[in-house]
Structure formats: C-alpha cells, structure tokens
C-alpha cells in the first residue's frame, strides 16, 4: 500500500466531519474515493491508447494495400474477426428493423 500526502481545504473538511463517525471513517472514505477516481482515470487513458493504437494499425494496413487491385481481398481480417455468434441473417433482420421500424 502506498502513502501519499494530499492537501484538502480546511473549510471543506470541517463541513464534512460531522457526516462521518470519526476521522478513521472519513479517511477510509477519502481513500476509497481517490482509488476509485484513479482506477477510472487510468482505465480511460488506457482505452484511449488502445483506440489510438488500433486506428494507427488500421491506417497502416490501408496504406499498405493502396493502389493494389486485389486490395479488397487482402483486407480480410484487419478489422478483426466477426463475433462467434455473428449471423448474416440477424444482420439483415436488424437492418430491416432499423430502416422500416419493424
């Protein structure tokens, strides 16, 4: 477990103190909130990095086949594999449902 020293406005702490059963309860709550915020923050940064990496890879692949008359056939798989439960029939039904509201 790491220990960090953080600064919090005294007025804010004084307002919050009556809502906790002691300083240990308040400290535990602050630690939980800070950890939760850090997890959410790092998850968001990691997702952004993955999206950037994926889009860079896709652009590299598209550039690689640019001007190639057989490029369409070489593109198979650069967008990933279809889901295990993929169905052309379901895709068609979904498209009809979206288009005609059925």
């Amino acid at each position: 477990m790491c220990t960090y020293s953080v600064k919090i406005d005294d007025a804010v702490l004084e307002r919050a103190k009556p809502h906790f059963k002691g300083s240990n309860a308040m400290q535990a709550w602050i630690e939980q909130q800070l950890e939760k915020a850090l997890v959410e923050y790092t998850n968001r940064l990691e997702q952004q990095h993955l999206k950037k990496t994926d889009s860079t890879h896709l652009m590299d692949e598209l550039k690689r086949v640019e001007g190639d008359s057989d490029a369409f056939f070489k593109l198979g798989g650069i967008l990933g594999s279809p889901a295990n439960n993929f169905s052309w029939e379901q895709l068609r039904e979904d498209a009809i449902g979206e288009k005609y509201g059925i």
Side-chain angles (χ1 to χ4, degrees):
M1 208 39 92
C2 295
T3 302
Y4 280 88
S5 175
V6 296
K7 294 180 182 180
I8 302 173
D9 188 315
D10 291 335
V12 173
L13 283 179
E14 290 304 318
R15 285 182 56 207
K17 279 182 184 179
H19 302 287
F20 292 94
K21 294 180 179 178
S23 62
N24 288 342
M26 186 166 67
Q27 181 171 336
W29 182 84
I30 290 171
E31 289 172 357
Q32 290 171 351
Q33 298 306 308
L34 183 56
E35 184 172 337
K36 181 179 168 184
L38 285 170
V39 168
E40 290 173 2
Y41 179 73
T42 55
N43 285 345
R44 187 170 52 249
L45 289 177
E46 289 168 354
Q47 287 298 319
Q48 289 172 353
H49 176 72
L50 287 175
K51 286 181 183 177
K52 184 177 179 182
T53 302
D54 289 346
S55 65
T56 302
H57 173 70
L58 176 60
M59 290 306 296
D60 289 345
E61 289 296 314
L62 290 173
K63 287 177 186 174
R64 185 179 61 81
V65 296
E66 186 176 1
D68 187 344
S69 60
D70 293 328
F72 178 77
F73 301 106
K74 294 177 182 178
L75 291 178
I78 72 165
L79 297 177
S81 301
N84 291 337
N85 60 350
F86 175 78
S87 158
W88 285 108
E89 185 67 31
Q90 184 62 46
L91 182 64
R92 186 178 320 113
E93 292 294 323
D94 291 346
I96 291 170
E98 287 178 26
K99 184 172 184 177
Y100 299 108
I102 332 179

